[in-house]
Amino acid sequence: MNNAKFPIHPWKITEIGFNPQHLAENESVFALANGYLGFRGNLEEDAPTGTRSIKGTYINGVYDTAPILYGESAYAFAKNSQTISHVAETKGFTIKADGEHVTFSQSLTNHVRELDLYTGILTRTFSYKTKKGGSIKVQIERLVSQENKHLAAMRLKITGISGGCDVEVTSGVYKPEFEIAKSDDPRTATGKDMNMILTTSGTFKPHYGAYTVLATKSSGMSVAAAITHQVTNAKATPTGESAWTFKGNTSQEIIVEKFATYYSGESKNFDAKQCRDEALSAADTQSYDTFAAQQKTFYKNFWDEVGMDIVGDDATLQGLRFNMFHLLQSTGQDGRTNIAAKGLTGSGYEGHYFWDTEIYVLPFMLHSSPQIAKALLMYRYSILDQARVRAKELGHDKGALYPWRTIGGEECSAYYAAGTAQYHINADIAYAIASYVRFTNDTEFLCNYGTEMLLETARLWYSLGFFNTEKGGKFCINHVTGPDEYNAVVNNNVYTNLMARENMLSAIRTLNDLQAKDPQKYTALKNKTNLSEEEIQDWDNASEAMYLPYRPDTQIFPQDEGFLDRKPMPIKDIPKENFPLLLHYHPLVIYRHNVCKQADLVLAMVLLGDYFTMEQKRENFHFYDAVTTHDSTLSKAVFSILASEIGEHQKAYDYFMFTARLDLDNTHKNTKDGLHMANMAGTWLCLVQGFAGMRCYGNTLSFAPHLPQGWESYTFNMHFQGRTIKVYVDKSGSKFSLVRGESIEILVDGKSITVHSQQ
Amino acid sequence: MNNAKFPIHPWKITEIGFNPQHLAENESVFALANGYLGFRGNLEEDAPTGTRSIKGTYINGVYDTAPILYGESAYAFAKNSQTISHVAETKGFTIKADGEHVTFSQSLTNHVRELDLYTGILTRTFSYKTKKGGSIKVQIERLVSQENKHLAAMRLKITGISGGCDVEVTSGVYKPEFEIAKSDDPRTATGKDMNMILTTSGTFKPHYGAYTVLATKSSGMSVAAAITHQVTNAKATPTGESAWTFKGNTSQEIIVEKFATYYSGESKNFDAKQCRDEALSAADTQSYDTFAAQQKTFYKNFWDEVGMDIVGDDATLQGLRFNMFHLLQSTGQDGRTNIAAKGLTGSGYEGHYFWDTEIYVLPFMLHSSPQIAKALLMYRYSILDQARVRAKELGHDKGALYPWRTIGGEECSAYYAAGTAQYHINADIAYAIASYVRFTNDTEFLCNYGTEMLLETARLWYSLGFFNTEKGGKFCINHVTGPDEYNAVVNNNVYTNLMARENMLSAIRTLNDLQAKDPQKYTALKNKTNLSEEEIQDWDNASEAMYLPYRPDTQIFPQDEGFLDRKPMPIKDIPKENFPLLLHYHPLVIYRHNVCKQADLVLAMVLLGDYFTMEQKRENFHFYDAVTTHDSTLSKAVFSILASEIGEHQKAYDYFMFTARLDLDNTHKNTKDGLHMANMAGTWLCLVQGFAGMRCYGNTLSFAPHLPQGWESYTFNMHFQGRTIKVYVDKSGSKFSLVRGESIEILVDGKSITVHSQQ
């Protein structure tokens, strides 16, 4: 990576100097979060004039709503948007030296920002020389605590280099103000006024405290933010509504430690006391150093647990670790929140949760932190009732239809062809439930939550499709959009039909199991959901008769029934500046042509690999490789995985390399709006499912390891049914060992081997 | 029609008494217009409290624009809406008798309103008794002049019945105020603030004049409205900004004649002087009676010209005449305006022009007033450049794509699946051009305007479709919406493909003719449009290879390639309250099912009847009859015409009867938003193309007359190539005679007869 913005380092992302053009994208790169609270990597001071900065502090699950405006509305169009809220800003410090505002200028030198992935701490240092000749060194650290989800801690040190310099530091908690941005790019937040409203704010004496309570306009949510300080060598005075100013002279090192706490809740009965108490307690009983030490321990454990390393390619290793770090940071873990398309790093896609969770992020969690995977599925259970209501709105008497995009559970897609029509979200969730149970044997989850979700999603498919006399009585699912949004509202999308079948079969299997193992629970569930035995038979019939377009002569599965019937649009003939197509062609023009944003047939071949022969995989990979633009960042990882499987190792590596550093190198040009979480997880999948060839069909874990050219070795841990298995691949072959858990038989390149317990 | 709101009368629409529930719909029924200026049938006084009234005065072609809001926008989505403006109100009179506001109450009796279709004059009479015991009779007449498009005239007479009553009449010109209405019904105007802005207003002395100049917010248009008065037995004083009050006592009959003039233009350099001058001139040199006399002469001529009569069914005759009257009133005749879906009778569909013009209204005009048909086509020529720009936006290097809905020429459809995707608008216009030329022999129009439109629309089809190897190299047109909006974004819609073929063939034929007859003009057009001979060959190849889905075993033409592949939705199983489906099902649900709003295949069989055999017509009629909801008011007329052709006379009559009085009886429940112009024209087509079986294939006019049961006879005139042919059908058969023009050979029931010239 010659053109990398950041020096290659296995653990650190370091910005040397300051390039205002990278400001907004680096705010995403340097974001800190803990699954609940997220800080974009904004500078402590105001962004330099003329630069583009996107301030952001987020609480997972805190959003505001507004009616979706349609030029022409129709029945059951999604009614309301949900947009992640910008909560109070606490990460700022305003510094004056000899009365001068310390900000980027010729007086500011030696600027270095560094995110240490190994510790989860962001540091920043620079020097500043005042007109009077005073010279100071500024060191700032910032962390968003993984041990206490409500807390962030910062430390500012100002040291005199030459001459004593009068210094003033202002530190507060502020309500952010956003201008309403408008754009035709559907991937960025839409132009709604989503500023929160100030409920109350003020300062309190102990530990120079201040607080702010903000409320959303419509969604009935409130967020309190409080700050306290520990200050060395400076005098404090309250400033304005909710800030303090600390004055000192650099003849002595000035230290300001700042503890910020956030609590969210329903606006009615919302009490900010707990928030203030906790901020006080932090300053009373802890110091920045204690929080930093906790954070380091946490991350050491995390990295030990995932056990991932690559020898021989530090650039890729850096990219992969960066991605894993951000995935962990952005994922909600409380069973009531999830992971947004951009995580907690930006407000792109309005902060919505998509299928990205189940198909990309969840496998990473499942293999490295299964308890987080469970929390993600519990979120889906928490919105099951809303999905039942949505199914009714869409004309189904029974079943549940999960929202294509949402935060709180209500369907928020304002363009149904690439939203509501993506019924596959139901099957994606069902697939994730089945995977989770297969990898964890968590029958308690399955009994109490999973089966009900499988049942209600299976019902939806049966109601949606029909036995089509025009197709010899085959079960057809028409007028849906698969994952590939460049072929919208199609008939018999293979991905959808296969996944729907899997959904119905999982439901049948799980219900049968439940009936056998816990007849009482089975009866209770049947009664709760008013399920009849006939329905189960119906799903079986539909699965059996599922229509899957296929051309035996070429072994090609048309992505959907009409895919081969579209007007050719050779990708090589499209001018380079016309990508992504969605920003340069009317949807009708795109839909009319034989072109994919991401090839969902290729994805089906990865997720449901045992349905296809190796030869089919080869033929279809090459076929779709030629017609896919990869305008979605979800695309290339999937191509890489299948390329690995069919032995196209160079292709696999090339596609992998596009994904590995996508946000570090901002290759998609929109990192400013937030990091691409699904792609980040995809990178990890390329390693585990691609290079190492991990699959799990039935109950058998299998591998087909391959070492990319130029690498010495790679290794990673993965969880499987209570075990942690260490996978190690180098030029001499592969090794499997157990970090914990019982011995297990696995397949490696088709041969059975036993991985022995260490105990 | 036992439940008719209005007494059956061959010429009059009479409202006896007053039913507040009918107020808004009757404002549409009693609308007056002249193709330029339109008055809804609002009461002179404010509508009674608690009733729903929609005030409306319109100028054809005067609209405001606003950006279309999308929850999620995309490339080349229509950018701006255009909404017909509500211009200044002049039709009001406020009457006080003995100080009491004269309005609906127990004091107001004997209320009668009457629209005389034969004269074009609306009259209203009622009595009023004051608390003091004074009793008056009020008579009001209103006309919107057909002779002077800028003028409306009103006369108010107040006569004492018993006791002298002090009367005060206030008459002014006012800026209307509208609340912003919101609705999910796509057929009504959307919720935008489209109030015009007051530029200037005032009174002037001569003839108690007053004026108002209003401007649109964004579209750069201004409208001046001026009023003058002639007053008998009352004293005038100016009142407020732009009104006068006239006081008198009913011991003498009080007469207030009011002349209102309207002028529109671009806001910059707009001068209202002409408007005031004309209002003054009306009051100076004319009287209400002279305008009324002109109006009567105009309408006598119109009715003589169309020569339509039915003996034996006055209810239907009343409906038909009402429809013809309103079609004439609402149609722009200046070549720069057109006819809105609701004409000038209401602001439903935002006052937009659709294909309704070319396929429904234009044939009526062509057969009864060919010069108006020409003006409608000249409007399309006036927006050809905008259509060229739109084609480029939609990805076509060449050609023109007419807007699906517009006023000023820019595409305004905010929902592309039932808007932009309706490419057939291009072929509809081409079809109308070819029909116009066939019926008029107007080669001057063809040379100077028609050929260029045919050429540019033909180009679009060639660019849109492709020779599809999956269909044996046939020319396919995919991802378009035909006229049937319940099957949106489909492949190879038969209507579209057949009409596109006709479009290309017309272009070839016309260009060949031009080359032969006027090589210079041909070369000039080729140069102007950069046309190559290859292109003409391309169109020929595409026409030749046009793909038309067909099932030889059943003789069914699937409406589009996938029509038979949809999930069954038996219409009889749908609860009655769920119609129209569009208000009760998500578009995806409708599109997924085998159901039509209007069957466009049936329409194709009417418009391009020579392509189909009689047996095919029979089979397809019955097939589509079973799956069509007729949720569009454009549907039943077409079914009636085809039913006539295949000899299903009872069906033909039943469908016809639904259309004939649709607005008079408000059977679609939305007459309040304006009258259904396409349906009104469809009724007439049922008579001429249905019952009389008129067709013109090649250059031959043919008839297949049938007399509906219960009718004694019917008759109508029709224009054909400089002739006016009178068609008369009674129980003994049919008679054809020439009102003017040269002898002509026609086919009647397949037999050739000569209609002899009267000269």
Side-chain angles (χ1 to χ4, degrees), chain A residues 282-478:
Chain A
D284 251 354
T285 62
Q286 312 283 334
S287 67
Y288 175 81
D289 279 333
T290 52
F291 290 122
Q294 283 175 6
Q295 191 82 341
K296 285 171 189 171
T297 306
F298 176 91
Y299 272 101
K300 184 182 180 314
N301 291 340
F302 169 71
W303 292 115
D304 284 352
E305 196 64 28
V306 298
M308 197 276 297
D309 203 356
I310 298 170
V311 177
D313 187 349
D314 277 355
T316 303
L317 180 60
Q318 183 181 34
L320 261 165
R321 285 194 172 135
F322 175 76
N323 295 352
M324 293 164 81
F325 177 82
H326 273 295
L327 285 166
L328 178 72
Q329 286 205 125
S330 276
T331 305
Q333 300 175 23
D334 56 8
R336 288 170 293 111
T337 57
N338 206 279
I339 177 166
K342 305 290 189 179
L344 294 168
T345 69
S347 59
Y349 291 107
E350 300 186 75
H352 288 172
Y353 312 144
F354 291 81
W355 73 311
D356 307 36
T357 298
E358 280 75 17
I359 299 302
Y360 290 81
V361 177
L362 194 133
F364 165 65
M365 293 301 174
L366 183 54
H367 301 157
S368 56
S369 317
Q371 74 289 358
I372 301 181
K374 180 181 176 180
L376 292 172
L377 294 174
M378 287 305 297
Y379 163 79
R380 292 297 185 185
Y381 188 77
S382 80
I383 63 168
L384 178 58
D385 276 343
Q386 285 165 281
R388 287 182 170 116
V389 170
R390 183 65 180 156
K392 289 217 167 43
E393 286 173 2
L394 268 287
H396 306 282
D397 289 343
K398 289 181 195 171
L401 176 57
Y402 276 99
W404 172 244
R405 52 190 300 175
T406 190
I407 300 175
E410 184 182 338
E411 175 64 84
C412 297
S413 61
Y415 174 59
Y416 74 76
T420 296
Q422 297 205 44
Y423 287 79
H424 66 87
I425 180 73
N426 255 26
D428 303 333
I429 292 168
Y431 181 90
I433 293 168
S435 296
Y436 170 76
V437 174
R438 186 182 303 132
F439 273 76
T440 63
N441 280 335
D442 185 350
T443 49
E444 184 271 341
F445 166 82
L446 190 63
C447 285
N448 293 322
Y449 312 106
T451 311
E452 190 174 342
M453 288 192 273
L454 289 172
L455 179 170
E456 293 289 18
T457 48
R459 275 177 156 169
L460 198 282
W461 292 117
Y462 189 77
S463 166
L464 182 65
F466 68 114
F467 296 96
N468 186 353
T469 51
E470 285 282 316
K471 294 277 189 293
K474 287 280 184 184
F475 192 77
C476 290
I477 300 174
N478 286 355

Side-chain angles (χ1 to χ4, degrees), chain A residues 154-284:
Chain A
M154 290 143 272
R155 181 172 63 194
L156 168 68
K157 275 192 194 174
I158 303 178
T159 321
I161 299 171
S162 68
C165 194
D166 284 333
V167 167
E168 235 183 88
V169 174
T170 304
S171 170
V173 49
Y174 304 106
K175 169 181 172 333
E177 283 299 339
F178 291 87
E179 284 183 27
I180 302 167
K182 281 197 179 171
S183 161
D184 273 359
D185 183 347
R187 301 169 303 179
T188 53
T190 52
K192 289 183 281 276
D193 178 7
M194 285 295 172
N195 284 307
M196 295 182 85
I197 295 160
L198 185 68
T199 306
T200 166
S201 68
T203 54
F204 48 94
K205 279 242 169 116
H207 296 296
Y208 320 124
Y211 69 97
T212 282
V213 181
L214 304 181
T216 58
K217 287 197 176 72
S218 307
S219 66
M221 297 181 181
S222 282
V223 173
I227 53 170
T228 55
H229 299 88
Q230 284 175 357
V231 180
T232 310
N233 296 324
K235 267 190 157 173
T237 45
T239 310
E241 186 69 11
S242 54
W244 290 79
T245 298
F246 308 105
K247 291 185 192 178
N249 186 284
T250 55
S251 51
Q252 290 177 300
E253 186 180 59
I254 297 161
I255 303 176
V256 179
E257 296 190 0
K258 180 176 189 176
F259 309 102
T261 53
Y262 287 82
Y263 274 78
S264 53
E266 284 183 28
S267 291
K268 52 179 180 183
N269 311 322
F270 185 75
D271 182 2
K273 188 172 177 302
Q274 192 177 7
C275 189
R276 287 197 299 270
D277 287 352
E278 192 151 320
L280 276 171
S281 157
D284 251 354

Side-chain angles (χ1 to χ4, degrees), chain A residues 481-492:
Chain A
T481 300
D484 176 22
E485 296 179 351
Y486 283 180
N487 289 279
V489 190
V490 297
N491 291 350
N492 295 305

Side-chain angles (χ1 to χ4, degrees), chain A residues 68-79 182-186 190 192 350 390 393-396 405 413-418 420-421 423 462-471 476 478-480 488-492 551 561-562 564-568 581-589 591-593, chain B residues 68-79 182-186 190 192 350 390 393-396 405 413-418 420-421 423 462-471 476 478-480 488-492 551 561-562 564-568 581-589 591-593:
Chain A
I68 298 177
L69 298 171
Y70 296 98
E72 195 177 321
S73 187
Y75 184 84
F77 271 16
K79 288 275 176 297
K182 281 197 179 171
S183 161
D184 273 359
D185 183 347
T190 52
K192 289 183 281 276
E350 300 186 75
R390 183 65 180 156
E393 286 173 2
L394 268 287
H396 306 282
R405 52 190 300 175
S413 61
Y415 174 59
Y416 74 76
T420 296
Y423 287 79
Y462 189 77
S463 166
L464 182 65
F466 68 114
F467 296 96
N468 186 353
T469 51
E470 285 282 316
K471 294 277 189 293
C476 290
N478 286 355
H479 284 73
V480 302
V489 190
V490 297
N491 291 350
N492 295 305
R551 301 286 175 105
E561 197 184 329
L564 301 177
D565 220 356
R566 285 178 199 135
K567 194 171 177 175
L581 303 187
L582 68 98
L583 298 186
H584 300 92
Y585 298 92
H586 190 285
L588 276 173
V589 178
Y591 302 163
R592 188 178 293 128
H593 286 89
Chain B
I68 299 176
L69 298 171
Y70 296 98
E72 194 176 321
S73 187
Y75 183 84
F77 271 17
K79 288 275 174 296
K182 280 196 180 172
S183 162
D184 273 359
D185 183 345
T190 53
K192 289 183 281 277
E350 299 185 76
R390 184 65 180 156
E393 287 172 2
L394 268 286
H396 305 281
R405 52 191 297 176
S413 62
Y415 174 58
Y416 73 77
T420 295
Y423 287 80
Y462 189 76
S463 166
L464 181 66
F466 68 115
F467 296 96
N468 186 353
T469 51
E470 286 283 316
K471 293 277 190 296
C476 290
N478 286 354
H479 283 73
V480 301
V489 190
V490 297
N491 292 349
N492 295 304
R551 303 285 175 104
E561 196 185 326
L564 300 176
D565 220 355
R566 289 184 194 129
K567 194 171 178 174
L581 303 187
L582 69 99
L583 298 186
H584 301 91
Y585 298 93
H586 190 285
L588 277 172
V589 179
Y591 301 164
R592 188 178 293 128
H593 286 88

Side-chain angles (χ1 to χ4, degrees), chain B residues 98-115:
Chain B
D98 285 341
E100 291 174 26
H101 262 292
V102 175
T103 176
F104 282 100
S105 66
Q106 288 189 324
S107 314
L108 195 154
T109 53
N110 300 320
H111 183 258
V112 175
R113 235 189 332 175
E114 189 164 275
L115 172 62

